[in-house]
Each structure stands twice: as C-alpha cells, then as structure tokens.
Amino acid sequence: MHSVIIPLVKNKCGSLTDINNYCAIAISSVMSKLFEMLLLDSLSSSSACDQYQFGFKRGHSTGLCTAMFKQTVDFCRGHGSHVFVCFINFSKAFDYVNYWKLFYKLLDDNINSIAVRVLSYWYSHQECFIRWHNCISAGFYFSNDTRQGGVLSPY
C-alpha cells in the first residue's frame, strides 16, 4: 500500500518553478500490481453505460471513438448539415476523484461487495512518498485521486 511519486518535468524549456510543468508518476510494487490483476476478475460491471465506453476497455480504444466521430462529421457535412461539437478536457479528472463516491457507485452497479471492501481499505490506507533526486519525503495519506499507473484505475 506504499507508492513512491516521482515528479517529471513536462517541458524542459518551461519554468521549473511552475507546478503545472510537472507530471507526477507513482511507482507501486510488483505485488501491488499482481494483487490488482487478481481483483480485476471480480470487478465485472453490469452497467448499460459500459457499452458506450471506448477507452480503458479490452478490444476498444479512443482511436475507435475518434474514427467514428470523423465518419459521423463527414456523413453530416456530406449531406449538407452543420456540425456543432463541444469538447471537455478531463486531463486532471483522475486527480480529483473522490474514491468513496466511486466505491458507492461500484456497489450500486452490483460489483462484488467483498472486492469493494478490499479496495476501500486499500485506498484509505495507501501511503505515498515523494522522491526528488536522491531524497524521499515523509509518508502522507490522501483522500482523493486514483492510483496512477494502477491496473484497476481505468476501470
């Protein structure tokens, strides 16, 4: 339940004092990833919304969604229609996930309650450290966020 967060510079020509110029990469243990892979089997969803999900789903990708979008726009424009589009940037959405709300949603979706209890314990007791060069910070806990790089996080 320990992770080491390593801040990586996004743009080396940008300001090194700008917090938005860093991407936090969390490194978890191999045992943690194996444990998540075992839990993954018990987290099958029965939600009707899942059929519309493109990313983070076996056999699907956001590339498929992009291709479908382009075909729809081409079809509409080819038949003389106007196309109006709205895009939403969820680039930091995973950083603000309240995982307690997520666990309740999993239970509402009839996910195995034992698996949800294991995840809730695991998330509420995870400890993080920050490594900067050769120094490691004191450990800390947090109440939002998904496990960056975790096997289960996309699901």
Side-chain angles (χ1 to χ4, degrees), residues 13-98:
C13 296
S15 172
L16 297 179
T17 60
D18 181 7
I19 193 168
N20 294 314
N21 194 26
Y22 289 89
C23 177
I25 304 297
I27 299 175
S28 300
S29 69
V30 173
M31 293 302 289
S32 169
K33 293 202 184 247
L34 289 172
F35 180 67
E36 286 187 73
M37 291 170 96
L38 290 172
L39 270 178
L40 183 60
D41 292 334
S42 64
L43 296 177
S44 61
S45 173
S46 60
S47 174
C49 294
D50 288 349
Q51 63 186 337
Y52 302 112
Q53 180 177 344
F54 286 93
F56 307 117
K57 188 174 178 184
R58 189 179 306 269
H60 292 78
S61 72
T62 54
L64 177 64
C65 181
T66 304
M68 184 182 296
F69 172 74
K70 286 181 176 181
Q71 286 180 344
T72 303
V73 170
D74 290 344
F75 178 83
C76 292
R77 293 195 65 209
H79 287 83
S81 292
H82 295 284
V83 178
F84 299 96
V85 179
C86 175
F87 293 98
I88 301 172
N89 182 356
F90 289 117
S91 63
K92 295 190 181 220
F94 282 110
D95 297 340
Y96 298 102
V97 170
N98 180 321

Side-chain angles (χ1 to χ4, degrees), residues 105-121:
K105 289 188 179 292
L106 290 173
L107 290 172
D108 289 344
D109 199 24
N110 298 318
I111 299 296
N112 182 320
S113 63
I114 294 171
V116 175
R117 286 175 60 191
V118 167
L119 284 172
S120 65
Y121 179 84

